[in-house]
Amino acid sequence: MYRFLITIGSKSSILMNVTIRGKNIKIGTNCVINSGCLLDGRGSSKIIIGNNVDIAPFVKIWSVDHNPNSSIHEARSKDVIIEDNCWVASSVIILPGITLAEGTVVAAGSVVVKSTEPYSIVGGIPAKFISNRNRDIEYKHFWRPWFE
């Protein structure tokens, strides 16, 4: 038996084959979490996803890691916040403690190691600023494909 203790807003979709760890996860309205994603909301940390957020396939969002200087491999947790109107492209990794500011776009395959500025486009390993994004966003996500 599976029990979901996460909060999901209206008109949001979580597709099949998404791994959800922990219960400290909040997803806003009009969001899409595509297949193959991992949301790691274990421990005291939270994952907070705003409204109208598109998370493409195979994205990994980590809120827990280990202190590399700890002699006991100590776990540490930090919140991950993805604000409204963000688009996270395929195979992105977001590390603990990151805030994707409103309107951020993260290019496919990037590793996000620091927080972003509003309406920025970032990419690479580690993700770096590429350009600014248009602030006039009118679309709303509502995607519920069959059997995905």
Side-chain angles (χ1 to χ4, degrees):
M1 176 176 145
Y2 289 97
R3 224 172 141 191
F4 289 104
L5 299 173
I6 65 174
T7 304
I8 303 171
S10 66
K11 296 185 180 176
S12 287
S13 301
I14 298 177
L15 277 59
M16 295 175 68
N17 299 315
V18 172
T19 301
I20 296 175
R21 294 182 178 166
K23 60 184 178 183
N24 297 319
I25 299 171
K26 180 180 178 185
I27 300 170
T29 61
N30 300 314
C31 294
V32 176
I33 312 296
N34 277 276
S35 64
C37 289
L38 170 86
L39 306 179
D40 178 41
R42 295 175 292 160
S44 61
S45 59
K46 299 178 186 93
I47 295 175
I48 300 169
I49 298 172
N51 300 317
N52 203 39
V53 172
D54 181 358
I55 298 182
F58 310 111
V59 169
K60 310 294 186 233
I61 302 174
W62 297 101
S63 66
V64 177
D65 66 3
H66 294 277
N67 181 347
N69 294 313
S70 170
S71 61
I72 60 169
H73 202 54
E74 175 187 22
R76 55 189 183 180
S77 59
K78 296 178 186 173
D79 295 347
V80 174
I81 300 169
I82 300 175
E83 295 181 354
D84 296 349
N85 300 312
C86 288
W87 170 23
V88 182
S90 297
S91 300
V92 166
I93 297 172
I94 301 173
L95 297 181
I98 300 301
T99 296
L100 296 183
E102 182 175 355
T104 295
V105 174
V106 183
S110 299
V111 178
V112 184
V113 300
K114 67 178 186 174
S115 296
T116 65
E117 294 295 321
Y119 294 92
S120 59
I121 299 173
V122 300
I125 303 174
K128 294 183 177 169
F129 176 80
I130 296 172
S131 67
N132 289 308
R133 180 184 189 195
N134 175 14
R135 291 176 179 255
D136 185 23
I137 297 173
E138 297 180 21
Y139 61 83
K140 299 289 181 218
H141 295 293
F142 184 64
W143 190 53
R144 290 194 171 156
W146 288 71
F147 306 112
E148 278 193 50

